Amino acid sequence: MSLEIKNFDPRPIGVFDSGVGGLSVLNQLINHFPEENFVYLGDTARLPYGSKSPLTIQKYVTQNINYLVRHQQIKAVVVACNSASTVLSQIQLASDLPVFGVIKPGARAAFQISKTKKIGLWATRATVKQESYPKALKDLDSTITCISVPCPLLVPLVEEGLWQGDIVDAVLNHYFNQTDFNNLDTLILGCTHYPFIKSSIEKVIHKKNLKVNIIDSALALAEDLSQAFKNNLVQKNSSALKKGSLSLLLTDEASHFMELALKTFPSWENSKFQLIDLNQIV
Ligand code: DGL
C-alpha cells in the first residue's frame, strides 16, 4: 500500500493592488481558499497606477513583489491589479516565486462566454495602452474583436466610496456612449476597482436594454490558483478546515481604506493592519 505524502506550506499568499480594487480579488480568493493565510498590500501612497507609464508601473510592481518576498515570506503572489499585470512580462524578479496576474484569466472567462466574439474592455489608460487584453484574446481566438475604452474616472469614484447614485450613473453613461455595443455581448471589467460598481453598471445595461455579460478576472484567477495547488506549483496551507489569517498592509494613511474595506467585508474587522514605507525597506 502506498501512502500519498503531502507537503504543506503555511507561508501566506501575497496579493497587491494600488488601493481597494484588489480586495475584490482577495475576497474571491478567501472564499475559495479559506484555510490559506493572506497578506494584502494596498499601495495607497502611489495610487493610481492606471495613469502612470509602463516604466513607473514596472518599478512599483518589482518593489512590491520584492517586499512581499523578503519581508512577508510569501509562497506565491497574486497581482490583483490589471495595470500592474500588464507589465509582468517586462520585469525581472530575483526569485522564482509563482506569480499570478489577472489578464489571462479575465480574457479566458470572456472568451468562454462570448458568442458574438465581439468583446468590450473597460480599463485604466495604462491597461488599454499596453493592449494586453486584445493580445490575450487573440491568442485564444484570432477572430475575436476587442473594443477597448479607457475609463479613468472610475477608479477615483471607487476610491471615494461613490459606488452608486447620480454621479456614478452620469460617468457610466459617458463611458457607455463611448463604447460601440453593436453586436457586443461581453464586457470585461479590466480594472479590479470596477467590480465595486458592478451593480450600477448592470443597472445602466438594463436601462439601455442591452444584453451584455459582465466579466471580471477574480473567479477565473481563483481557478488558476486552484490548478496551481493541484499541480503542486504552490503547496496548500493545510488539509484541515482551519480558517487562515489576513494581514493588511498599506503604504499611506489607513482610515479611509479601512472604512471602504469594512463597508464590503465587515468580517475583516479584526484583521491585522500595518502601515509600511516601501522606500525605507530594502
Ligand atoms: N485596480 C487597478 C487595476 O486593476 C488600478 C487602479 C489604479 O491604480 O489606477 O488596473
Side-chain angles (χ1 to χ4, degrees):
M1 187 177 80
S2 75
L3 275 181
E4 199 189 346
I5 300 182
K6 287 238 184 249
N7 293 318
F8 296 119
D9 189 344
R11 290 178 299 165
I13 296 170
V15 180
F16 77 85
D17 178 44
S18 57
V20 293
L23 297 179
S24 60
V25 176
L26 176 66
N27 186 40
Q28 195 66 257
L29 295 177
I30 293 176
N31 286 340
H32 275 77
F33 314 106
E35 69 288 352
E36 291 298 327
N37 299 314
F38 289 96
V39 178
Y40 184 86
L41 168 60
D43 192 6
T44 43
R46 304 190 287 198
L47 170 110
Y49 282 9
S51 56
K52 306 284 191 311
S53 69
L55 271 182
T56 301
I57 301 174
Q58 283 170 33
K59 200 173 77 188
Y60 293 170
V61 172
T62 309
Q63 211 173 13
N64 293 349
I65 297 180
N66 285 344
Y67 167 77
L68 288 166
V69 172
R70 289 183 198 144
H71 298 274
Q72 298 295 327
Q73 283 79 41
I74 56 169
K75 62 182 172 185
V77 66
V78 171
V79 182
C81 171
N82 290 266
S83 313
S85 296
T86 63
V87 303
L88 281 177
S89 58
Q90 293 140 35
I91 57 171
Q92 292 258 312
L93 293 173
S95 75
D96 54 2
L97 178 90
V99 179
F100 299 86
V102 282
I103 309 279
K104 276 192 186 160
R108 190 178 70 234
F111 158 74
Q112 282 167 350
I113 205 162
S114 175
K115 299 257 180 303
T116 63
K117 303 293 172 207
K118 185 170 164 189
I119 295 173
L121 169 71
W122 281 9
T124 64
R125 277 216 172 85
T127 299
V128 168
K129 221 167 165 182
Q130 288 280 88
E131 295 185 353
S132 308
Y133 271 104
K135 281 178 202 149
L137 288 165
K138 289 259 183 239
D139 282 350
L140 293 164
D141 180 343
S142 61
T143 67
I144 289 179
T145 308
C146 181
I147 306 290
S148 304
V149 179
C151 306
L153 294 174
L154 297 183
V155 168
L157 284 178
V158 171
E159 285 289 332
E160 203 41 53
L162 282 171
W163 299 348
Q164 56 209 9
D166 294 347
I167 299 174
V168 178
D169 291 347
V171 174
L172 288 177
N173 272 309
H174 172 69
Y175 292 131
F176 269 91
N177 291 338
Q178 293 192 356
T179 311
D180 169 17
F181 277 97
N182 185 25
N183 206 32
L184 186 151
D185 69 349
T186 304
L187 178 65
I188 301 174
L189 302 185
C191 170
T192 53
H193 279 72
Y194 302 174
F196 286 92
I197 48 172
K198 189 174 170 185
S199 58
S200 294
I201 296 172
E202 283 169 340
K203 208 179 74 187
V204 182
I205 285 179
H206 185 72
K207 252 195 189 152
K208 292 192 180 290
N209 224 349
L210 295 166
K211 296 260 172 303
V212 179
N213 306 299
I214 303 280
I215 296 292
D216 70 72
S217 304
L219 189 63
L221 181 118
E223 285 162 10
D224 281 3
L225 198 54
S226 174
Q227 202 55 48
F229 283 134
K230 276 190 201 131
N231 296 343
N232 280 325
L233 187 65
V234 185
Q235 309 292 337
K236 287 207 138 207
N237 181 17
S238 85
S239 58
L241 284 172
K242 197 173 148 265
K243 212 165 162 274
S245 64
L246 168 63
S247 309
L248 296 166
L249 309 170
L250 297 178
T251 54
D252 201 1
E253 215 274 315
S255 58
H256 181 62
F257 178 98
M258 289 310 285
E259 214 177 282
L260 291 184
L262 293 177
K263 191 167 139 184
T264 327
F265 313 111
S267 62
W268 293 1
E269 195 159 26
N270 299 321
S271 306
K272 271 189 281 165
F273 154 76
Q274 198 190 329
L275 207 56
I276 56 159
D277 182 351
L278 289 172
N279 296 311
Q280 301 284 312
I281 294 163
V282 253

Short mmCIF file of all heavy atoms in Angstrom, two decimals, residues 86 89-90 103-104 107 121 127-142 144 146 148:
data_model
loop_
_atom_site.label_atom_id
_atom_site.label_comp_id
_atom_site.label_asym_id
_atom_site.label_seq_id
_atom_site.Cartn_x
_atom_site.Cartn_y
_atom_site.Cartn_z
N THR A 86 -0.18 44.05 -16.60
CA THR A 86 0.24 44.25 -17.99
C THR A 86 1.76 44.32 -18.14
O THR A 86 2.27 44.15 -19.23
CB THR A 86 -0.35 45.56 -18.60
OG1 THR A 86 0.16 46.66 -17.87
CG2 THR A 86 -1.85 45.56 -18.61
N SER A 89 5.42 40.68 -17.87
CA SER A 89 6.38 40.02 -18.76
C SER A 89 7.62 40.88 -18.95
O SER A 89 8.62 40.43 -19.49
CB SER A 89 5.73 39.74 -20.11
OG SER A 89 5.28 40.95 -20.66
N GLN A 90 7.55 42.15 -18.50
CA GLN A 90 8.69 43.05 -18.73
C GLN A 90 9.59 43.21 -17.51
O GLN A 90 10.55 43.96 -17.54
CB GLN A 90 8.16 44.44 -19.14
CG GLN A 90 7.48 44.43 -20.50
CD GLN A 90 6.23 45.31 -20.54
OE1 GLN A 90 6.17 46.34 -19.90
NE2 GLN A 90 5.24 44.88 -21.30
N ILE A 103 -4.80 39.28 -16.17
CA ILE A 103 -5.20 39.49 -17.57
C ILE A 103 -5.64 38.17 -18.25
O ILE A 103 -6.75 38.10 -18.78
CB ILE A 103 -4.05 40.10 -18.40
CG1 ILE A 103 -3.49 41.34 -17.71
CG2 ILE A 103 -4.49 40.36 -19.84
CD1 ILE A 103 -4.23 42.61 -17.88
N LYS A 104 -4.77 37.17 -18.17
CA LYS A 104 -5.09 35.91 -18.88
C LYS A 104 -6.39 35.28 -18.37
O LYS A 104 -7.23 34.88 -19.17
CB LYS A 104 -3.93 34.92 -18.79
CG LYS A 104 -2.91 35.18 -19.86
CD LYS A 104 -1.90 34.05 -19.97
CE LYS A 104 -0.82 34.44 -20.95
NZ LYS A 104 0.40 33.67 -20.77
N ALA A 107 -9.33 37.30 -19.70
CA ALA A 107 -9.53 37.09 -21.14
C ALA A 107 -10.18 35.72 -21.38
O ALA A 107 -11.10 35.58 -22.19
CB ALA A 107 -8.19 37.19 -21.86
N LEU A 121 -13.80 46.07 -23.53
CA LEU A 121 -12.88 46.16 -22.39
C LEU A 121 -12.96 47.56 -21.80
O LEU A 121 -12.73 48.55 -22.50
CB LEU A 121 -11.43 45.89 -22.85
CG LEU A 121 -10.35 46.22 -21.81
CD1 LEU A 121 -10.37 45.22 -20.66
CD2 LEU A 121 -8.96 46.26 -22.45
N THR A 127 -3.69 50.09 -18.88
CA THR A 127 -4.05 48.74 -19.35
C THR A 127 -4.47 48.77 -20.82
O THR A 127 -4.05 47.91 -21.61
CB THR A 127 -5.18 48.16 -18.47
OG1 THR A 127 -4.69 48.07 -17.13
CG2 THR A 127 -5.62 46.78 -18.93
N VAL A 128 -5.25 49.77 -21.20
CA VAL A 128 -5.69 49.87 -22.60
C VAL A 128 -4.48 50.06 -23.50
O VAL A 128 -4.34 49.40 -24.53
CB VAL A 128 -6.72 51.01 -22.78
CG1 VAL A 128 -6.96 51.31 -24.25
CG2 VAL A 128 -8.04 50.65 -22.09
N LYS A 129 -3.58 50.95 -23.09
CA LYS A 129 -2.40 51.28 -23.90
C LYS A 129 -1.50 50.05 -24.13
O LYS A 129 -0.93 49.88 -25.20
CB LYS A 129 -1.60 52.35 -23.18
CG LYS A 129 -1.07 53.42 -24.10
CD LYS A 129 -0.59 54.54 -23.27
CE LYS A 129 0.28 55.50 -24.01
NZ LYS A 129 0.74 56.54 -23.08
N GLN A 130 -1.36 49.22 -23.13
CA GLN A 130 -0.46 48.05 -23.23
C GLN A 130 -1.04 46.95 -24.13
O GLN A 130 -0.33 46.02 -24.51
CB GLN A 130 -0.19 47.45 -21.84
CG GLN A 130 0.70 48.29 -20.96
CD GLN A 130 2.17 48.12 -21.31
OE1 GLN A 130 2.69 48.83 -22.17
NE2 GLN A 130 2.85 47.20 -20.66
N GLU A 131 -2.35 47.03 -24.43
CA GLU A 131 -3.03 46.08 -25.33
C GLU A 131 -2.91 44.62 -24.89
O GLU A 131 -2.93 43.70 -25.72
CB GLU A 131 -2.52 46.24 -26.77
CG GLU A 131 -2.86 47.60 -27.34
CD GLU A 131 -2.49 47.76 -28.80
OE1 GLU A 131 -1.84 46.87 -29.36
OE2 GLU A 131 -2.86 48.82 -29.35
N SER A 132 -2.74 44.40 -23.60
CA SER A 132 -2.58 43.01 -23.14
C SER A 132 -3.85 42.19 -23.31
O SER A 132 -3.78 40.99 -23.61
CB SER A 132 -2.19 43.00 -21.66
OG SER A 132 -1.10 43.83 -21.44
N TYR A 133 -5.00 42.80 -23.09
CA TYR A 133 -6.26 42.04 -23.26
C TYR A 133 -6.50 41.65 -24.72
O TYR A 133 -6.76 40.46 -25.00
CB TYR A 133 -7.46 42.81 -22.70
CG TYR A 133 -7.70 42.52 -21.24
CD1 TYR A 133 -7.34 43.43 -20.27
CD2 TYR A 133 -8.28 41.32 -20.82
CE1 TYR A 133 -7.53 43.17 -18.92
CE2 TYR A 133 -8.48 41.05 -19.48
CZ TYR A 133 -8.12 41.98 -18.53
OH TYR A 133 -8.31 41.71 -17.21
N PRO A 134 -6.45 42.62 -25.69
CA PRO A 134 -6.63 42.21 -27.09
C PRO A 134 -5.67 41.09 -27.49
O PRO A 134 -6.05 40.13 -28.17
CB PRO A 134 -6.36 43.48 -27.90
CG PRO A 134 -6.53 44.61 -26.94
CD PRO A 134 -6.32 44.07 -25.56
N LYS A 135 -4.42 41.18 -26.99
CA LYS A 135 -3.42 40.14 -27.34
C LYS A 135 -3.83 38.80 -26.72
O LYS A 135 -3.80 37.77 -27.40
CB LYS A 135 -2.03 40.54 -26.85
CG LYS A 135 -1.36 41.56 -27.76
CD LYS A 135 0.00 41.96 -27.21
CE LYS A 135 0.42 43.32 -27.77
NZ LYS A 135 1.25 44.10 -26.85
N ALA A 136 -4.21 38.82 -25.44
CA ALA A 136 -4.59 37.56 -24.78
C ALA A 136 -5.83 36.96 -25.44
O ALA A 136 -5.93 35.73 -25.58
CB ALA A 136 -4.84 37.82 -23.29
N LEU A 137 -6.76 37.81 -25.85
CA LEU A 137 -7.99 37.31 -26.51
C LEU A 137 -7.66 36.72 -27.88
O LEU A 137 -8.16 35.66 -28.25
CB LEU A 137 -9.02 38.44 -26.65
CG LEU A 137 -9.70 38.87 -25.34
CD1 LEU A 137 -10.41 40.21 -25.50
CD2 LEU A 137 -10.68 37.81 -24.85
N LYS A 138 -6.79 37.42 -28.63
CA LYS A 138 -6.40 36.92 -29.96
C LYS A 138 -5.65 35.59 -29.86
O LYS A 138 -5.75 34.75 -30.73
CB LYS A 138 -5.50 37.94 -30.68
CG LYS A 138 -6.24 39.18 -31.13
CD LYS A 138 -6.56 39.12 -32.62
CE LYS A 138 -7.24 40.41 -33.07
NZ LYS A 138 -8.56 40.26 -33.64
N ASP A 139 -4.89 35.42 -28.77
CA ASP A 139 -4.18 34.14 -28.57
C ASP A 139 -5.19 33.01 -28.40
O ASP A 139 -4.91 31.85 -28.74
CB ASP A 139 -3.31 34.20 -27.30
CG ASP A 139 -2.02 34.96 -27.55
OD1 ASP A 139 -1.73 35.26 -28.72
OD2 ASP A 139 -1.32 35.27 -26.56
N LEU A 140 -6.35 33.33 -27.83
CA LEU A 140 -7.37 32.30 -27.62
C LEU A 140 -8.19 32.06 -28.88
O LEU A 140 -8.62 30.94 -29.16
CB LEU A 140 -8.30 32.72 -26.48
CG LEU A 140 -7.65 32.78 -25.10
CD1 LEU A 140 -8.50 33.56 -24.11
CD2 LEU A 140 -7.41 31.37 -24.57
N ASP A 141 -8.44 33.13 -29.63
CA ASP A 141 -9.24 33.02 -30.85
C ASP A 141 -8.94 34.25 -31.71
O ASP A 141 -9.30 35.38 -31.34
CB ASP A 141 -10.74 32.98 -30.47
CG ASP A 141 -11.64 32.87 -31.69
OD1 ASP A 141 -11.18 33.16 -32.81
OD2 ASP A 141 -12.82 32.51 -31.51
N SER A 142 -8.30 34.02 -32.85
CA SER A 142 -7.84 35.15 -33.66
C SER A 142 -8.99 35.95 -34.27
O SER A 142 -8.78 37.03 -34.80
CB SER A 142 -6.89 34.65 -34.75
OG SER A 142 -7.61 33.75 -35.57
N ILE A 144 -11.56 37.10 -32.60
CA ILE A 144 -12.19 37.99 -31.61
C ILE A 144 -11.84 39.45 -31.89
O ILE A 144 -10.71 39.79 -32.21
CB ILE A 144 -11.72 37.62 -30.17
CG1 ILE A 144 -12.34 36.29 -29.74
CG2 ILE A 144 -12.10 38.73 -29.17
CD1 ILE A 144 -11.92 35.83 -28.36
N CYS A 146 -11.78 43.11 -30.05
CA CYS A 146 -11.83 43.71 -28.70
C CYS A 146 -11.97 45.22 -28.83
O CYS A 146 -11.16 45.88 -29.48
CB CYS A 146 -10.56 43.33 -27.93
SG CYS A 146 -10.54 43.99 -26.25
N SER A 148 -11.71 48.46 -26.89
CA SER A 148 -11.13 48.93 -25.62
C SER A 148 -11.47 50.40 -25.35
O SER A 148 -11.29 51.24 -26.23
CB SER A 148 -9.61 48.80 -25.67
OG SER A 148 -9.25 47.46 -25.94
#
